[in-house]
Amino acid sequence: MRETQFIKQNQEKWSEFEQTLKGEAKDADRLRDLFVQITDDLSYSRTFYPNRSVRVYLNGLAQQVFLKLYRSRRTPLGKLLTFWTDELPQEVYNARQAFRLAFFLFFLCFGIGMLSCAMDAEFAEVILGNNYVEMTRANIESGDPMAVYKEKGRFGMFLGITFNNLYVAFLAFAMGVFFGVGSIIILISNAIMVGCFQYFFIQHGLFWESSLTIWIHGTLEISAIVIASAAGITMGRGPAFPGTYTRLQAFQQSARRGAKIMLGTIPLFIIAGFLEGFMTRQTETPDIIRGAFILLCLAFVLVYFVWYPWYRQKLGLGIEITETQRLPASENYQLQTGKIKAGGEIFSEIFTLFRRHSSKLLFAIFGGALVYTTLVFLLSDIPAAELLPFNAESWVFNGYNFLLLFSGQGGHWFIPIIGGAMIYGLALAAFKSIDRELGRTTTPLSYLNLFFGVAAIVCCVGFLSYWAILSILVVLPLALLFSYVAYRDHQSLGRVFFLLKGAFWRTAGMSVLLLVLGLTLFSLTNTVVAELLFKMINWLVAAEQVALDEWSVWINTFLLASIANFIWVILLLGFGLHYYSLREINEATDLREKITNIGQSSRIRGLERE
């Protein structure tokens, strides 16, 4: 082909590329395609017109595209900064209707709490509890109404308050899965409690003192709870109003958006816990300083969560959610193993896989829970309540209840064995789901090697001790990854450490995300819904109370085992998918395959070339 004909044939395309580069809004995918086409033309010009100006022109154009794509690659610190300056404010703006609803409900129910306390003198005891009300009255009479904030040590109070607030927030967020209704209920109950608490001090003539004390930490704490509820409402809006998409697709998208908002509340809770543990107790601080600090906290919340998202949108820096940003149809889903995926992508793919293989996974979850419950109680001759003494008094015991399902406490060695067999069935179902997507066949050696992986998992959760916390946070992620490595690659722990090389924090972040999700789901057993279920059983079933109590333990064990099994499936699928990202990071398997194919003959402009 003559040079003039080559230029004439591609001139319009090159002009379009130049205009795209000069434009302010640049699509990364479009730039990538542009780069491929330009380098294609550049290769052709180097072959046939090595000393002509068209080669120089295309080389300069390719350099521009390359710099646009790669000169601003973000570092981990840059990604973190971008999250707080761009991503979170954008999600807050996109969820502004949920925020408006959450703040409106809070102020409305805050007023209802104050009004109810004013009209009924016993309302405070119903909401706050008799013991707390009596203790506060005793503190008021002793001349130190805020003594409740001085009873514990500073650091211990900081940790206790922070963990408790985080639990309440995660529960408010997780309950949004029930179409947002659960988040609204938790928000209403907290708002009524805060309003009642505030008016209780007003009744005793302590409005100013209580306000300057409570709201030192309460400004950030209560704002964060409202924001967490808004995140839950955002998550619930997806399945409630899916539009033209399936409810699962809409839930995947809304859950990711809600999770980002929820993540933004964590620093607020940590700061609020620090303030409550170290500063709220300083009641002798001058009122003007305490008042100024409260106003400063309020200004931060209003500026960052209200004004800044609106201001970014006004400047044209934000992009609203559009239909094109929705997830593709799951029927067209294809598992990609050559891509390095972020935690959010893996999180979405977990639920996509779960939906595509729901029948087999649900059978493993509920069937395993039923077999576990039956065998555990049939193999023991002691009462069910003594064999598995679950504690539902506080959320703190959720982790204890989870470990109780798999520990050999009291010499009951058969419990971890049965629990391990249950996990083996779950791992097999989860990993086979991935195999079916990839067209792989499970070999007999995979069944045997998976046994060692599951044994490592059981060792992490098979004992009741404070060391179990460290085991779950540090060792369990290694065991989960090892189980898939043993199943797929038939290799040992050496490969696990090789895969984690250079990607430890990526793995730690994903494991924390999945473990927090699991703890939140396990907390559902301590909710009003579970309590009503057991009350209904007592109402409808006519039997001796001893028998009813025994059945309640059986049912509770089945429910806890089912939720635990769901958590295990999520963890196993997550680490099975994460394996391929780690493999690509360390071995670049997909990239090497593409490089290998470069040497194969192909055609360009109708001519064969190497």
Side-chain angles (χ1 to χ4, degrees):
M1 183 189 299
R2 291 180 176 272
E3 180 187 4
T4 53
Q5 185 179 357
F6 175 67
I7 294 173
K8 184 177 180 180
Q9 179 177 318
N10 297 287
Q11 185 176 10
E12 184 177 346
K13 178 179 64 176
W14 297 340
S15 298
E16 179 189 350
F17 289 164
E18 286 187 279
Q19 294 300 321
T20 302
L21 285 174
K22 293 177 182 177
E24 293 185 2
K26 296 179 177 62
D27 185 354
D29 293 332
R30 176 59 179 160
L31 284 174
R32 180 196 61 198
D33 296 337
L34 182 157
F35 181 67
V36 171
Q37 295 182 54
I38 287 295
T39 52
D40 194 11
D41 291 341
L42 177 61
S43 298
Y44 185 85
S45 65
R46 280 176 173 171
T47 302
F48 297 102
Y49 321 113
N51 300 317
R52 306 295 294 178
S53 58
V54 65
R55 183 195 63 80
V56 178
Y57 166 76
L58 290 173
N59 188 68
L61 199 58
Q63 286 182 345
Q64 292 183 54
V65 179
F66 181 85
L67 291 175
K68 294 289 185 184
L69 283 173
Y70 297 106
R71 70 179 178 183
S72 300
R73 299 184 70 177
R74 295 188 297 172
T75 62
L77 182 61
K79 292 180 181 179
L80 181 63
L81 182 63
T82 301
F83 173 79
W84 294 107
T85 58
D86 297 334
E87 293 183 30
L88 180 58
Q90 184 61 54
E91 295 298 348
V92 170
Y93 182 82
N94 291 334
R96 58 192 180 277
Q97 293 180 346
F99 272 76
R100 291 169 185 165
L101 176 61
F103 275 99
F104 171 75
L105 287 175
F106 175 80
F107 286 116
L108 175 64
C109 296
F110 179 86
I112 291 174
M114 294 185 67
L115 182 62
S116 300
C117 192
M119 296 180 65
D120 186 355
E122 297 181 356
F123 187 74
E125 297 180 356
V126 174
I127 298 297
L128 303 176
N130 292 331
N131 294 334
Y132 188 85
V133 170
E134 291 300 327
M135 178 190 66
T136 306
R137 284 173 178 162
N139 291 336
I140 294 173
E141 292 174 0
S142 65
D144 191 1
M146 299 295 128
V148 66
Y149 296 108
K150 307 173 185 178
E151 292 180 346
K152 298 180 180 179
R154 289 177 173 83
F155 187 72
M157 188 172 186
F158 158 61
L159 288 180
I161 291 296
T162 300
F163 282 118
N164 181 72
N165 289 340
L166 284 172
Y167 167 74
V168 173
F170 276 113
L171 188 60
F173 169 65
M175 293 298 284
V177 74
F178 299 109
F179 306 105
V181 177
S183 298
I184 292 174
I185 292 174
I186 292 177
L187 176 63
I188 289 174
S189 63
N190 278 275
I192 292 175
M193 183 174 63
V194 173
C196 180
F197 183 67
Q198 180 69 76
Y199 193 82
F200 179 77
F201 288 102
I202 295 176
Q203 283 180 322
H204 292 81
L206 295 167
F207 168 73
W208 189 247
E209 177 62 24
S210 65
S211 298
L212 291 177
T213 302
I214 296 169
W215 294 101
I216 284 179
H217 64 273
T219 305
L220 294 180
E221 179 183 309
I222 299 302
S223 297
I225 290 177
V226 175
I227 294 169
S229 300
I233 295 171
T234 300
M235 179 173 65
R237 186 176 179 180
F241 305 102
T244 57
Y245 299 88
T246 66
R247 295 193 187 277
L248 180 62
Q249 290 174 329
F251 172 72
Q252 287 176 302
Q253 188 74 2
S254 62
R256 291 180 65 177
R257 293 174 54 206
K260 283 187 177 181
I261 298 172
M262 180 63 217
L263 188 62
T265 66
I266 294 178
L268 296 183
F269 283 117
I270 295 174
I271 296 172
F274 176 83
L275 295 175
E276 189 167 356
F278 290 88
M279 294 185 62
T280 302
R281 64 180 64 227
Q282 309 297 333
T283 54
E284 68 278 1
T285 305
D287 292 353
I288 188 171
I289 296 178
R290 291 192 289 172
F293 186 80
I294 292 172
L295 291 176
L296 180 64
C297 293
L298 180 61
F300 167 76
V301 172
L302 292 177
V303 168
Y304 185 77
F305 288 98
V306 179
W307 177 81
Y308 181 59
W310 169 82
Y311 183 68
R312 286 185 73 258
Q313 196 70 22
K314 184 180 178 181
L315 294 178
L317 300 176
I319 302 175
E320 291 209 52
I321 296 296
T322 62
E323 290 297 309
T324 57
Q325 291 171 290
R326 294 280 190 172
L327 296 175
S330 60
E331 290 74 9
N332 301 326
Y333 168 79
Q334 184 175 2
L335 180 59
Q336 298 180 3
T337 60
K339 181 181 177 183
I340 301 173
K341 300 172 184 175
E345 293 178 278
I346 293 176
F347 186 80
S348 295
E349 277 198 307
I350 289 172
F351 290 98
T352 301
L353 283 175
F354 194 96
R355 178 176 180 269
R356 289 170 62 85
H357 306 277
S358 57
S359 59
K360 294 180 175 60
L361 292 175
L362 289 174
F363 177 79
I365 289 172
F366 292 109
L370 182 61
V371 172
Y372 171 88
T373 304
T374 304
L375 290 179
V376 163
F377 291 120
L378 288 181
L379 292 176
S380 173
D381 55 357
I382 65 175
E386 295 181 17
L387 181 63
L388 294 175
F390 296 117
N391 194 319
E393 294 180 1
S394 171
W395 67 270
V396 177
F397 294 102
N398 288 328
Y400 166 82
N401 292 339
F402 180 83
L403 292 174
L404 197 62
L405 292 170
F406 305 98
S407 69
Q409 50 85 30
H412 304 302
W413 52 268
F414 56 88
I415 292 181
I417 292 178
I418 298 173
M422 181 171 65
I423 296 175
Y424 183 90
L426 296 170
L428 200 58
F431 295 160
K432 276 193 169 184
S433 298
I434 298 176
D435 283 349
R436 281 190 288 271
E437 293 293 336
L438 299 177
R440 291 184 69 251
T441 303
T442 307
T443 63
L445 189 58
S446 296
Y447 292 100
L448 176 62
N449 289 336
L450 182 59
F451 169 81
F452 298 103
V454 171
I457 294 174
V458 174
C459 289
C460 295
V461 297
F463 59 97
L464 286 174
S465 169
Y466 287 110
W467 288 105
I469 300 175
L470 183 63
S471 174
I472 290 174
L473 292 177
V474 179
V475 185
L476 182 59
L478 299 177
L480 289 165
L481 184 59
F482 170 60
S483 64
Y484 190 73
V485 167
Y487 172 82
R488 187 193 183 282
D489 294 342
H490 314 314
Q491 296 191 31
S492 63
L493 278 171
R495 178 158 175 77
V496 173
F497 290 113
F498 169 77
L499 291 172
L500 290 176
K501 181 177 60 178
F504 174 79
W505 293 111
R506 173 188 290 266
T507 304
M510 193 199 72
S511 63
V512 168
L513 174 65
L514 296 178
L515 288 172
V516 168
L517 173 65
L519 178 63
T520 306
L521 290 173
F522 214 70
S523 301
L524 297 177
T525 56
N526 285 347
T527 60
V528 177
V529 177
E531 185 179 348
L532 288 176
L533 174 63
F534 290 112
K535 285 185 177 180
M536 187 178 297
I537 293 173
N538 288 332
W539 293 337
L540 297 178
V541 179
E544 296 291 334
Q545 189 60 44
V546 175
L548 289 175
D549 292 341
E550 188 82 2
W551 295 346
S552 295
V553 175
W554 278 59
I555 295 172
N556 191 34
T557 302
F558 174 75
L559 291 176
L560 289 173
S562 298
I563 297 175
N565 286 352
F566 180 77
I567 295 170
W568 283 122
V569 168
I570 296 300
L571 289 170
L572 291 162
L573 284 175
F575 276 87
L577 295 171
H578 186 55
Y579 161 85
Y580 293 99
S581 292
L582 296 177
R583 188 184 67 171
E584 195 65 23
I585 290 172
N586 290 280
E587 298 177 345
T589 305
D590 188 68
L591 181 60
R592 290 175 185 272
E593 182 179 347
K594 290 180 179 178
I595 292 175
T596 303
N597 293 334
I598 290 177
Q600 299 178 1
S601 62
S602 59
R603 288 186 172 272
I604 179 171
R605 311 301 179 195
L607 299 174
E608 190 169 347
R609 54 167 294 200
E610 289 297 321

